[in-house]
Amino acid sequence: MDGTATAAGGTTTTTATTAANQVGTDGGGDVDIDVEIGECVRLGGTMDAATISEASCGSADSNYRVIAKAEKNAQCPSDADQVYYEESALGRELGALCLDIDWVIGGCMSVPDGGDDEPQRVDCADTHVPGVERAVDLIEGATDVEQCTEGGFVYSEREFVVCTEQVRPL
């Protein structure tokens, strides 16, 4: 089975402090990695040749939190940050992991703008990394970034916002 990482149509998300609406359900499906909802992973590689491994949430290795499981990637929340799914040799989807960025309040992530790059946890003081955002708050029941001081990532389907401050632009 080959894994495929597909960017979802949403924005970006949270961790360490998890919104009540952030975590979904186990809708079935089967992928080779054995992770539960709420656990974290390290997703890398490319869209056609994704790599995925277990990682401790909030660690330097973790870049996504599993927020739901599904039989097909289209069953993930529309505002999930990323979807990892596996297909049979005949191209039939076998299962999907719905993923949000593993934000840690006070921690920094390098958040790429499109392409095959995945977010990476970084030291907030590292001046060599572009596109760095520091998570500063999580607001439940919100559907717009206006409640944040500087900016953030909106999850309108699940109604929460991760407020961030830009440490370094892209």
Side-chain angles (χ1 to χ4, degrees):
M1 287 181 250
D2 290 325
T4 302
T6 304
T11 6
T12 310
T13 183
T14 172
T15 172
T17 306
T18 304
N21 290 343
Q22 180 179 7
V23 179
T25 60
D26 187 341
D30 185 31
V31 293
D32 285 341
I33 186 170
D34 185 22
V35 291
E36 299 301 321
I37 295 169
E39 293 181 339
C40 292
V41 298
R42 169 93 173 163
L43 183 65
T46 64
M47 192 165 116
D48 294 326
T51 59
I52 192 167
S53 59
E54 293 181 57
S56 296
C57 293
S59 72
D61 291 332
S62 173
N63 58 353
Y64 288 103
R65 178 178 296 266
V66 178
I67 57 161
K69 294 180 177 182
E71 291 180 352
K72 298 183 183 293
N73 75 76
Q75 296 167 327
C76 287
S78 64
D79 60 358
D81 289 320
Q82 184 67 277
V83 177
Y84 171 85
Y85 65 94
E86 293 177 354
E87 296 178 329
S88 70
L90 300 174
R92 184 178 68 84
E93 281 189 47
L94 302 171
L97 299 176
C98 313
L99 308 169
D100 275 349
I101 290 178
D102 181 29
W103 290 108
V104 173
I105 302 301
C108 289
M109 295 291 281
S110 172
V111 183
D113 188 23
D116 282 340
D117 293 334
E118 299 296 341
Q120 304 297 320
R121 190 166 319 286
V122 297
D123 182 334
C124 296
D126 186 346
T127 59
H128 297 90
V129 180
V132 176
E133 299 281 335
R134 179 188 340 257
V136 295
D137 198 7
L138 171 78
I139 303 173
E140 295 187 63
T143 57
D144 66 65
V145 76
E146 298 303 317
Q147 296 181 43
C148 298
T149 303
E150 186 173 315
F153 298 88
V154 177
Y155 300 86
S156 55
E157 180 179 335
R158 293 174 287 154
E159 297 183 347
F160 70 94
V161 175
V162 175
C163 297
T164 62
E165 61 186 16
Q166 187 177 63
V167 176
R168 272 176 306 292
L170 279 172

mmCIF file of all heavy atoms in Angstrom, residues 60-98:
data_model
loop_
_atom_site.group_PDB
_atom_site.id
_atom_site.type_symbol
_atom_site.label_atom_id
_atom_site.label_comp_id
_atom_site.label_asym_id
_atom_site.label_seq_id
_atom_site.Cartn_x
_atom_site.Cartn_y
_atom_site.Cartn_z
ATOM 1 N N ALA A 60 9.637 17.425 18.945
ATOM 2 C CA ALA A 60 10.278 17.970 17.747
ATOM 3 C C ALA A 60 9.923 17.157 16.510
ATOM 4 O O ALA A 60 9.919 17.681 15.402
ATOM 5 C CB ALA A 60 11.791 18.008 17.937
ATOM 6 N N ASP A 61 9.599 15.882 16.681
ATOM 7 C CA ASP A 61 9.273 15.017 15.546
ATOM 8 C C ASP A 61 7.837 15.160 15.056
ATOM 9 O O ASP A 61 7.530 14.845 13.919
ATOM 10 C CB ASP A 61 9.508 13.546 15.909
ATOM 11 C CG ASP A 61 10.983 13.237 16.078
ATOM 12 O OD1 ASP A 61 11.813 13.922 15.446
ATOM 13 O OD2 ASP A 61 11.302 12.316 16.849
ATOM 14 N N SER A 62 6.948 15.597 15.912
ATOM 15 C CA SER A 62 5.524 15.637 15.571
ATOM 16 C C SER A 62 5.166 16.867 14.756
ATOM 17 O O SER A 62 5.546 17.979 15.100
ATOM 18 C CB SER A 62 4.700 15.644 16.862
ATOM 19 O OG SER A 62 3.348 15.851 16.580
ATOM 20 N N ASN A 63 4.412 16.645 13.658
ATOM 21 C CA ASN A 63 3.896 17.807 12.932
ATOM 22 C C ASN A 63 2.381 17.750 12.746
ATOM 23 O O ASN A 63 1.779 18.761 12.398
ATOM 24 C CB ASN A 63 4.623 18.040 11.605
ATOM 25 C CG ASN A 63 4.572 16.878 10.634
ATOM 26 O OD1 ASN A 63 4.098 15.789 10.942
ATOM 27 N ND2 ASN A 63 5.073 17.105 9.437
ATOM 28 N N TYR A 64 1.745 16.605 12.988
ATOM 29 C CA TYR A 64 0.285 16.517 12.888
ATOM 30 C C TYR A 64 -0.303 15.689 14.020
ATOM 31 O O TYR A 64 0.336 14.769 14.532
ATOM 32 C CB TYR A 64 -0.137 15.864 11.560
ATOM 33 C CG TYR A 64 0.067 16.741 10.362
ATOM 34 C CD1 TYR A 64 1.139 16.533 9.501
ATOM 35 C CD2 TYR A 64 -0.820 17.782 10.071
ATOM 36 C CE1 TYR A 64 1.329 17.331 8.393
ATOM 37 C CE2 TYR A 64 -0.633 18.584 8.964
ATOM 38 C CZ TYR A 64 0.438 18.355 8.130
ATOM 39 O OH TYR A 64 0.633 19.154 7.032
ATOM 40 N N ARG A 65 -1.543 16.011 14.368
ATOM 41 C CA ARG A 65 -2.339 15.258 15.336
ATOM 42 C C ARG A 65 -3.470 14.576 14.566
ATOM 43 O O ARG A 65 -4.113 15.197 13.713
ATOM 44 C CB ARG A 65 -2.930 16.205 16.377
ATOM 45 C CG ARG A 65 -3.826 15.528 17.405
ATOM 46 C CD ARG A 65 -4.338 16.517 18.452
ATOM 47 N NE ARG A 65 -3.256 17.054 19.242
ATOM 48 C CZ ARG A 65 -2.860 16.546 20.402
ATOM 49 N NH1 ARG A 65 -3.474 15.510 20.907
ATOM 50 N NH2 ARG A 65 -1.859 17.090 21.067
ATOM 51 N N VAL A 66 -3.728 13.304 14.866
ATOM 52 C CA VAL A 66 -4.827 12.570 14.241
ATOM 53 C C VAL A 66 -6.130 13.051 14.881
ATOM 54 O O VAL A 66 -6.321 12.930 16.088
ATOM 55 C CB VAL A 66 -4.672 11.046 14.437
ATOM 56 C CG1 VAL A 66 -5.848 10.299 13.822
ATOM 57 C CG2 VAL A 66 -3.349 10.556 13.855
ATOM 58 N N ILE A 67 -7.019 13.627 14.061
ATOM 59 C CA ILE A 67 -8.274 14.166 14.597
ATOM 60 C C ILE A 67 -9.476 13.290 14.271
ATOM 61 O O ILE A 67 -10.533 13.437 14.873
ATOM 62 C CB ILE A 67 -8.520 15.598 14.101
ATOM 63 C CG1 ILE A 67 -8.541 15.640 12.577
ATOM 64 C CG2 ILE A 67 -7.483 16.542 14.693
ATOM 65 C CD1 ILE A 67 -9.205 16.861 11.995
ATOM 66 N N ALA A 68 -9.318 12.380 13.324
ATOM 67 C CA ALA A 68 -10.395 11.449 12.964
ATOM 68 C C ALA A 68 -9.824 10.390 12.039
ATOM 69 O O ALA A 68 -8.735 10.550 11.482
ATOM 70 C CB ALA A 68 -11.562 12.175 12.288
ATOM 71 N N LYS A 69 -10.587 9.308 11.881
ATOM 72 C CA LYS A 69 -10.246 8.254 10.924
ATOM 73 C C LYS A 69 -11.459 8.059 10.031
ATOM 74 O O LYS A 69 -12.592 8.230 10.460
ATOM 75 C CB LYS A 69 -9.928 6.944 11.634
ATOM 76 C CG LYS A 69 -8.684 6.987 12.491
ATOM 77 C CD LYS A 69 -8.458 5.642 13.136
ATOM 78 C CE LYS A 69 -7.204 5.596 13.952
ATOM 79 N NZ LYS A 69 -6.983 4.246 14.535
ATOM 80 N N ALA A 70 -11.199 7.686 8.779
ATOM 81 C CA ALA A 70 -12.298 7.524 7.829
ATOM 82 C C ALA A 70 -11.961 6.428 6.826
ATOM 83 O O ALA A 70 -10.799 6.063 6.657
ATOM 84 C CB ALA A 70 -12.552 8.842 7.095
ATOM 85 N N GLU A 71 -12.994 5.931 6.161
ATOM 86 C CA GLU A 71 -12.784 4.949 5.098
ATOM 87 C C GLU A 71 -12.188 5.607 3.860
ATOM 88 O O GLU A 71 -11.411 5.007 3.143
ATOM 89 C CB GLU A 71 -14.091 4.248 4.750
ATOM 90 C CG GLU A 71 -14.580 3.328 5.851
ATOM 91 C CD GLU A 71 -15.882 2.632 5.496
ATOM 92 O OE1 GLU A 71 -16.502 2.974 4.463
ATOM 93 O OE2 GLU A 71 -16.275 1.741 6.265
ATOM 94 N N LYS A 72 -12.587 6.869 3.599
ATOM 95 C CA LYS A 72 -12.112 7.614 2.429
ATOM 96 C C LYS A 72 -11.712 9.023 2.866
ATOM 97 O O LYS A 72 -12.309 9.595 3.770
ATOM 98 C CB LYS A 72 -13.204 7.692 1.364
ATOM 99 C CG LYS A 72 -13.632 6.330 0.830
ATOM 100 C CD LYS A 72 -14.657 6.495 -0.270
ATOM 101 C CE LYS A 72 -15.156 5.171 -0.761
ATOM 102 N NZ LYS A 72 -14.190 4.372 -1.447
ATOM 103 N N ASN A 73 -10.735 9.593 2.173
ATOM 104 C CA ASN A 73 -10.232 10.910 2.561
ATOM 105 C C ASN A 73 -11.308 11.991 2.466
ATOM 106 O O ASN A 73 -11.286 12.954 3.215
ATOM 107 C CB ASN A 73 -8.970 11.271 1.782
ATOM 108 C CG ASN A 73 -9.216 11.679 0.354
ATOM 109 O OD1 ASN A 73 -9.658 12.794 0.114
ATOM 110 N ND2 ASN A 73 -8.930 10.815 -0.601
ATOM 111 N N ALA A 74 -12.269 11.831 1.572
ATOM 112 C CA ALA A 74 -13.342 12.826 1.422
ATOM 113 C C ALA A 74 -14.262 12.882 2.641
ATOM 114 O O ALA A 74 -15.036 13.826 2.789
ATOM 115 C CB ALA A 74 -14.158 12.528 0.168
ATOM 116 N N GLN A 75 -14.169 11.897 3.534
ATOM 117 C CA GLN A 75 -15.004 11.870 4.732
ATOM 118 C C GLN A 75 -14.376 12.631 5.898
ATOM 119 O O GLN A 75 -14.993 12.765 6.948
ATOM 120 C CB GLN A 75 -15.284 10.415 5.142
ATOM 121 C CG GLN A 75 -16.082 9.660 4.104
ATOM 122 C CD GLN A 75 -16.104 8.155 4.344
ATOM 123 O OE1 GLN A 75 -15.146 7.571 4.831
ATOM 124 N NE2 GLN A 75 -17.227 7.545 3.990
ATOM 125 N N CYS A 76 -13.167 13.150 5.716
ATOM 126 C CA CYS A 76 -12.522 13.954 6.755
ATOM 127 C C CYS A 76 -13.191 15.325 6.821
ATOM 128 O O CYS A 76 -13.779 15.785 5.832
ATOM 129 C CB CYS A 76 -11.034 14.125 6.442
ATOM 130 S SG CYS A 76 -10.072 12.620 6.709
ATOM 131 N N PRO A 77 -13.103 16.002 7.982
ATOM 132 C CA PRO A 77 -13.652 17.359 8.060
ATOM 133 C C PRO A 77 -13.054 18.238 6.962
ATOM 134 O O PRO A 77 -11.859 18.139 6.665
ATOM 135 C CB PRO A 77 -13.217 17.841 9.450
ATOM 136 C CG PRO A 77 -12.993 16.597 10.235
ATOM 137 C CD PRO A 77 -12.502 15.578 9.250
ATOM 138 N N SER A 78 -13.866 19.077 6.381
ATOM 139 C CA SER A 78 -13.396 19.916 5.276
ATOM 140 C C SER A 78 -12.331 20.911 5.711
ATOM 141 O O SER A 78 -11.574 21.405 4.877
ATOM 142 C CB SER A 78 -14.577 20.669 4.652
ATOM 143 O OG SER A 78 -15.142 21.565 5.603
ATOM 144 N N ASP A 79 -12.241 21.204 7.015
ATOM 145 C CA ASP A 79 -11.245 22.157 7.486
ATOM 146 C C ASP A 79 -10.027 21.484 8.125
ATOM 147 O O ASP A 79 -9.215 22.145 8.766
ATOM 148 C CB ASP A 79 -11.872 23.180 8.430
ATOM 149 C CG ASP A 79 -12.504 22.558 9.675
ATOM 150 O OD1 ASP A 79 -12.499 21.311 9.810
ATOM 151 O OD2 ASP A 79 -13.009 23.324 10.518
ATOM 152 N N ALA A 80 -9.880 20.165 7.937
ATOM 153 C CA ALA A 80 -8.673 19.483 8.417
ATOM 154 C C ALA A 80 -7.471 20.048 7.664
ATOM 155 O O ALA A 80 -7.572 20.421 6.501
ATOM 156 C CB ALA A 80 -8.785 17.978 8.189
ATOM 157 N N ASP A 81 -6.330 20.097 8.323
ATOM 158 C CA ASP A 81 -5.133 20.643 7.686
ATOM 159 C C ASP A 81 -4.540 19.724 6.638
ATOM 160 O O ASP A 81 -3.936 20.176 5.669
ATOM 161 C CB ASP A 81 -4.063 20.928 8.731
ATOM 162 C CG ASP A 81 -4.432 22.109 9.597
ATOM 163 O OD1 ASP A 81 -4.970 23.087 9.070
ATOM 164 O OD2 ASP A 81 -4.178 22.046 10.810
ATOM 165 N N GLN A 82 -4.680 18.427 6.837
ATOM 166 C CA GLN A 82 -4.054 17.465 5.939
ATOM 167 C C GLN A 82 -4.798 16.140 6.055
ATOM 168 O O GLN A 82 -5.435 15.865 7.070
ATOM 169 C CB GLN A 82 -2.593 17.284 6.343
ATOM 170 C CG GLN A 82 -1.757 16.386 5.464
ATOM 171 C CD GLN A 82 -1.531 16.929 4.090
ATOM 172 O OE1 GLN A 82 -2.393 16.762 3.232
ATOM 173 N NE2 GLN A 82 -0.399 17.566 3.841
ATOM 174 N N VAL A 83 -4.706 15.334 5.012
ATOM 175 C CA VAL A 83 -5.285 13.992 5.010
ATOM 176 C C VAL A 83 -4.214 13.030 4.513
ATOM 177 O O VAL A 83 -3.558 13.290 3.509
ATOM 178 C CB VAL A 83 -6.533 13.907 4.096
ATOM 179 C CG1 VAL A 83 -7.064 12.484 4.049
ATOM 180 C CG2 VAL A 83 -7.617 14.864 4.566
ATOM 181 N N TYR A 84 -4.036 11.947 5.243
ATOM 182 C CA TYR A 84 -3.144 10.868 4.809
ATOM 183 C C TYR A 84 -4.024 9.663 4.528
ATOM 184 O O TYR A 84 -4.832 9.273 5.369
ATOM 185 C CB TYR A 84 -2.140 10.519 5.906
ATOM 186 C CG TYR A 84 -1.350 9.269 5.592
ATOM 187 C CD1 TYR A 84 -0.211 9.324 4.810
ATOM 188 C CD2 TYR A 84 -1.772 8.028 6.057
ATOM 189 C CE1 TYR A 84 0.503 8.173 4.491
ATOM 190 C CE2 TYR A 84 -1.058 6.871 5.756
ATOM 191 C CZ TYR A 84 0.066 6.950 4.974
ATOM 192 O OH TYR A 84 0.767 5.816 4.654
ATOM 193 N N TYR A 85 -3.912 9.097 3.325
ATOM 194 C CA TYR A 85 -4.701 7.908 3.034
ATOM 195 C C TYR A 85 -3.886 6.907 2.257
ATOM 196 O O TYR A 85 -2.879 7.232 1.651
ATOM 197 C CB TYR A 85 -6.003 8.246 2.308
ATOM 198 C CG TYR A 85 -5.859 8.831 0.924
ATOM 199 C CD1 TYR A 85 -5.905 8.021 -0.205
ATOM 200 C CD2 TYR A 85 -5.711 10.198 0.738
ATOM 201 C CE1 TYR A 85 -5.798 8.561 -1.480
ATOM 202 C CE2 TYR A 85 -5.602 10.740 -0.529
ATOM 203 C CZ TYR A 85 -5.644 9.922 -1.628
ATOM 204 O OH TYR A 85 -5.528 10.451 -2.886
ATOM 205 N N GLU A 86 -4.324 5.656 2.314
ATOM 206 C CA GLU A 86 -3.650 4.584 1.605
ATOM 207 C C GLU A 86 -4.614 3.949 0.618
ATOM 208 O O GLU A 86 -5.820 3.895 0.861
ATOM 209 C CB GLU A 86 -3.129 3.540 2.597
ATOM 210 C CG GLU A 86 -2.028 4.102 3.471
ATOM 211 C CD GLU A 86 -1.522 3.144 4.517
ATOM 212 O OE1 GLU A 86 -2.077 2.034 4.686
ATOM 213 O OE2 GLU A 86 -0.546 3.523 5.181
ATOM 214 N N GLU A 87 -4.027 3.482 -0.493
ATOM 215 C CA GLU A 87 -4.809 2.857 -1.564
ATOM 216 C C GLU A 87 -4.307 1.450 -1.830
ATOM 217 O O GLU A 87 -3.129 1.148 -1.624
ATOM 218 C CB GLU A 87 -4.678 3.672 -2.855
ATOM 219 C CG GLU A 87 -5.240 5.060 -2.775
ATOM 220 C CD GLU A 87 -5.044 5.825 -4.077
ATOM 221 O OE1 GLU A 87 -4.041 5.583 -4.786
ATOM 222 O OE2 GLU A 87 -5.892 6.672 -4.380
ATOM 223 N N SER A 88 -5.196 0.618 -2.341
ATOM 224 C CA SER A 88 -4.802 -0.714 -2.789
ATOM 225 C C SER A 88 -4.067 -0.579 -4.124
ATOM 226 O O SER A 88 -4.045 0.502 -4.726
ATOM 227 C CB SER A 88 -6.041 -1.603 -2.968
ATOM 228 O OG SER A 88 -6.797 -1.164 -4.089
ATOM 229 N N ALA A 89 -3.505 -1.671 -4.599
ATOM 230 C CA ALA A 89 -2.805 -1.662 -5.888
ATOM 231 C C ALA A 89 -3.743 -1.280 -7.028
ATOM 232 O O ALA A 89 -3.311 -0.777 -8.059
ATOM 233 C CB ALA A 89 -2.192 -3.030 -6.159
ATOM 234 N N LEU A 90 -5.056 -1.476 -6.829
ATOM 235 C CA LEU A 90 -6.051 -1.134 -7.848
ATOM 236 C C LEU A 90 -6.564 0.301 -7.713
ATOM 237 O O LEU A 90 -7.454 0.718 -8.443
ATOM 238 C CB LEU A 90 -7.221 -2.112 -7.778
ATOM 239 C CG LEU A 90 -6.845 -3.586 -8.002
ATOM 240 C CD1 LEU A 90 -8.058 -4.475 -7.772
ATOM 241 C CD2 LEU A 90 -6.278 -3.775 -9.393
ATOM 242 N N GLY A 91 -6.003 1.056 -6.742
ATOM 243 C CA GLY A 91 -6.399 2.448 -6.579
ATOM 244 C C GLY A 91 -7.614 2.675 -5.699
ATOM 245 O O GLY A 91 -8.122 3.782 -5.613
ATOM 246 N N ARG A 92 -8.095 1.647 -5.003
ATOM 247 C CA ARG A 92 -9.239 1.799 -4.098
ATOM 248 C C ARG A 92 -8.730 2.280 -2.738
ATOM 249 O O ARG A 92 -7.787 1.721 -2.188
ATOM 250 C CB ARG A 92 -9.959 0.452 -3.941
ATOM 251 C CG ARG A 92 -11.221 0.523 -3.093
ATOM 252 C CD ARG A 92 -11.926 -0.832 -3.005
ATOM 253 N NE ARG A 92 -11.166 -1.825 -2.257
ATOM 254 C CZ ARG A 92 -11.173 -1.946 -0.924
ATOM 255 N NH1 ARG A 92 -11.876 -1.128 -0.186
ATOM 256 N NH2 ARG A 92 -10.451 -2.890 -0.338
ATOM 257 N N GLU A 93 -9.356 3.327 -2.207
ATOM 258 C CA GLU A 93 -8.956 3.834 -0.897
ATOM 259 C C GLU A 93 -9.282 2.811 0.180
ATOM 260 O O GLU A 93 -10.383 2.277 0.237
ATOM 261 C CB GLU A 93 -9.663 5.150 -0.580
ATOM 262 C CG GLU A 93 -9.041 6.329 -1.282
ATOM 263 C CD GLU A 93 -9.603 7.652 -0.808
ATOM 264 O OE1 GLU A 93 -9.710 7.871 0.412
ATOM 265 O OE2 GLU A 93 -9.934 8.465 -1.680
ATOM 266 N N LEU A 94 -8.302 2.577 1.055
ATOM 267 C CA LEU A 94 -8.461 1.602 2.129
ATOM 268 C C LEU A 94 -8.750 2.262 3.468
ATOM 269 O O LEU A 94 -9.354 1.647 4.347
ATOM 270 C CB LEU A 94 -7.196 0.754 2.244
ATOM 271 C CG LEU A 94 -6.812 -0.003 0.974
ATOM 272 C CD1 LEU A 94 -5.440 -0.630 1.131
ATOM 273 C CD2 LEU A 94 -7.868 -1.044 0.657
ATOM 274 N N GLY A 95 -8.298 3.480 3.640
ATOM 275 C CA GLY A 95 -8.507 4.195 4.892
ATOM 276 C C GLY A 95 -7.786 5.519 4.877
ATOM 277 O O GLY A 95 -6.885 5.748 4.061
ATOM 278 N N ALA A 96 -8.215 6.401 5.782
ATOM 279 C CA ALA A 96 -7.643 7.744 5.831
ATOM 280 C C ALA A 96 -7.488 8.208 7.273
ATOM 281 O O ALA A 96 -8.289 7.860 8.137
ATOM 282 C CB ALA A 96 -8.538 8.731 5.074
ATOM 283 N N LEU A 97 -6.439 8.991 7.498
ATOM 284 C CA LEU A 97 -6.250 9.687 8.761
ATOM 285 C C LEU A 97 -6.478 11.172 8.503
ATOM 286 O O LEU A 97 -5.862 11.745 7.601
ATOM 287 C CB LEU A 97 -4.832 9.480 9.302
ATOM 288 C CG LEU A 97 -4.408 8.052 9.615
ATOM 289 C CD1 LEU A 97 -2.942 8.025 10.034
ATOM 290 C CD2 LEU A 97 -5.296 7.450 10.690
ATOM 291 N N CYS A 98 -7.357 11.776 9.257
ATOM 292 C CA CYS A 98 -7.637 13.212 9.155
ATOM 293 C C CYS A 98 -6.693 13.900 10.149
ATOM 294 O O CYS A 98 -6.642 13.509 11.319
ATOM 295 C CB CYS A 98 -9.093 13.500 9.500
ATOM 296 S SG CYS A 98 -10.266 12.375 8.685
#
